Amino acid sequence: MRKILIPFLLLAIFILQACGSTETSKTEQKEENTNQKSASETITYQSETGPVEVPANPTRIVALSNAPNVLALEGKIVGVDEWTNMNPLFQEKLEGIEVVSEENIEKIVELEPDLIIVGSQSKNIDKMSEIAPTVAYTWGKLDYLEQQIEIGKLLNKEQEAKEWVEDFTTRAEEAGKEIKEKIGEDATVSVFEYDTKSAYVFGNNWARGTELLYQTMKLEMPEKVKDNALEPGYFALSTEVLPEFAGDYIVLSKNQDGDGSFLETQTWKNIPAVQNNRVIELDTKAITYSDPITLEYLLDVFKKAFLEELN
């Protein structure tokens, strides 16, 4: 009797396995069809230049502008600009991604993008528009938080972007209050940078942490900085007049390719903020954007420096 049952049991097992394989295959096919459908769907994005039909779920983005904002929303980038690629904060996320430029249209074609993001001043926008839906942004037209929400709209992730903005603003404002309680309501902060020719001081909207420090944390800048850098965004200085623009605290954007020899002069060393060890040094290459990844990094740096490290 047992010998007779064994073939029937084996047959039953075979049938069950076959059914399971069929169901798995159907599930996989259903998922594939869903992905294909999602990839083919579009939304109408209201760009600066008018409505643009873009993929509802772009999977091959060439970002010649605002790439860090796209990365923050886990956008699927296949091509990125050289400057973003050099930024140490994005190295891991950009591993294996092609570096492209507005000049190299052939390279962009090879990447088969389904969405291209550029700056409004970029060359060859018309040619890129023939390759894939192309959206251009004018730098500074939106503030740094609005820009992230706008990228969220473009990628069909507006709610996710809004939630980050709300959460980040709350945390940054609270950090600003804590910092002002420690350093004083009227304490001032200056943001300096230098290249091979000049030094610069920044207003409240030129990256380097300026939006975070002045707009959201609401820290104060020296009057001389307000008068000269607030409206244009930055102001070039000779190193001799740096003390006139120095606040009680200094954020120094150190450009490794620039001429930092003035940092060894008595003019610099005699600035009270320098003498009192109230200087926060940052790598220029890491802080030239105002995207969520950079802002989260800077928020951590500023909180630690002002609340734990500086006098």
Side-chain angles (χ1 to χ4, degrees):
M1 184 67 177
R2 186 176 299 170
K3 291 180 180 180
I4 295 174
L5 286 174
I6 289 174
F8 285 105
L9 288 171
L10 292 174
L11 178 61
I13 291 170
F14 174 78
I15 292 171
L16 288 171
Q17 288 177 334
C19 289
S21 297
T22 301
E23 289 302 315
T24 300
S25 178
K26 287 180 179 179
T27 300
E28 291 175 349
Q29 184 63 46
K30 184 177 180 181
E31 290 177 353
E32 183 178 345
N33 291 338
T34 299
N35 290 336
Q36 289 176 349
K37 181 181 179 182
S38 177
S40 65
E41 290 178 348
T42 62
I43 59 174
T44 300
Y45 175 71
Q46 297 297 329
S47 74
E48 293 179 15
T49 55
V52 181
E53 289 295 316
V54 300
N57 181 33
T59 58
R60 299 189 63 80
I61 303 170
V62 167
L64 299 179
S65 175
N66 297 99
N69 301 86
V70 176
L71 289 174
L73 286 167
E74 299 185 350
K76 298 174 182 178
I77 293 178
V78 295
V80 71
D81 65 283
E82 183 178 10
W83 189 251
T84 302
N85 186 64
M86 292 191 300
N87 190 304
L89 297 184
F90 311 133
Q91 293 296 304
E92 185 176 338
K93 290 180 178 293
L94 292 175
E95 187 174 352
I97 302 300
E98 293 285 345
V99 175
V100 292
S101 76
E102 60 195 36
E103 306 281 0
N104 197 339
I105 297 299
E106 293 78 11
K107 184 69 173 180
I108 295 175
V109 171
E110 290 176 7
L111 293 175
E112 299 181 347
D114 56 5
L115 176 64
I116 301 174
I117 305 173
V118 297
S120 60
Q121 81 292 344
S122 297
K123 300 176 182 177
N124 297 319
I125 292 179
D126 290 343
K127 291 182 180 179
M128 286 186 272
S129 296
E130 295 174 0
I131 301 170
T134 300
V135 174
Y137 292 104
T138 300
W139 190 90
K141 188 169 185 177
L142 300 172
D143 74 30
Y144 75 115
L145 298 176
E146 291 171 339
Q147 184 64 67
Q148 183 61 17
I149 293 174
E150 202 62 28
I151 294 295
K153 292 178 183 178
L154 176 62
L155 301 184
N156 206 16
K157 296 184 176 183
E158 182 179 4
Q159 186 57 37
E160 183 178 335
K162 284 183 174 179
E163 289 174 358
W164 176 82
V165 166
E166 182 178 350
D167 176 62
F168 179 80
T169 301
T170 299
R171 289 184 286 118
E173 287 178 348
E174 182 59 36
K177 291 176 183 177
E178 292 179 24
I179 291 170
K180 293 186 84 166
E181 285 178 5
K182 179 183 177 184
I183 69 176
E185 288 288 327
D186 299 323
T188 57
V189 182
S190 297
V191 181
F192 290 129
E193 186 176 289
Y194 55 91
D195 56 21
T196 56
K197 297 179 180 180
S198 303
Y200 303 87
V201 66
F202 296 100
N204 68 353
N205 64 346
W206 211 262
R208 284 83 173 166
T210 55
E211 292 90 349
L212 176 57
L213 289 167
Y214 300 128
Q215 293 186 36
T216 311
M217 287 182 168
K218 296 180 172 56
L219 301 185
E220 297 294 327
M221 65 174 65
E223 288 299 321
K224 193 115 179 177
V225 178
K226 288 182 183 178
D227 294 340
N228 292 275
L230 190 56
E231 186 172 342
Y234 70 94
F235 185 68
L237 308 167
S238 64
T239 54
E240 290 77 12
V241 300
L242 278 172
E244 299 176 28
F245 292 81
D248 299 307
Y249 294 81
I250 293 173
V251 173
L252 178 63
S253 174
K254 299 191 73 172
N255 184 349
Q256 301 304 322
D257 300 320
D259 180 8
S261 58
F262 73 91
L263 299 174
E264 301 303 320
T265 66
Q266 288 304 121
T267 300
W268 175 259
K269 292 180 178 180
N270 287 335
I271 294 174
V274 178
Q275 292 181 326
N276 294 322
N277 296 316
R278 292 177 173 176
V279 178
I280 303 170
E281 295 185 354
L282 298 170
D283 178 1
T284 298
K285 289 183 179 180
I287 58 172
T288 54
Y289 293 101
S290 299
D291 64 283
I293 297 171
T294 304
L295 290 166
E296 292 287 3
Y297 164 74
L298 287 171
L299 179 59
D300 287 342
V301 169
F302 291 150
K303 285 175 63 177
K304 185 176 182 181
F306 282 110
L307 299 176
E308 300 176 21
E309 297 175 346
L310 303 182
N311 297 326

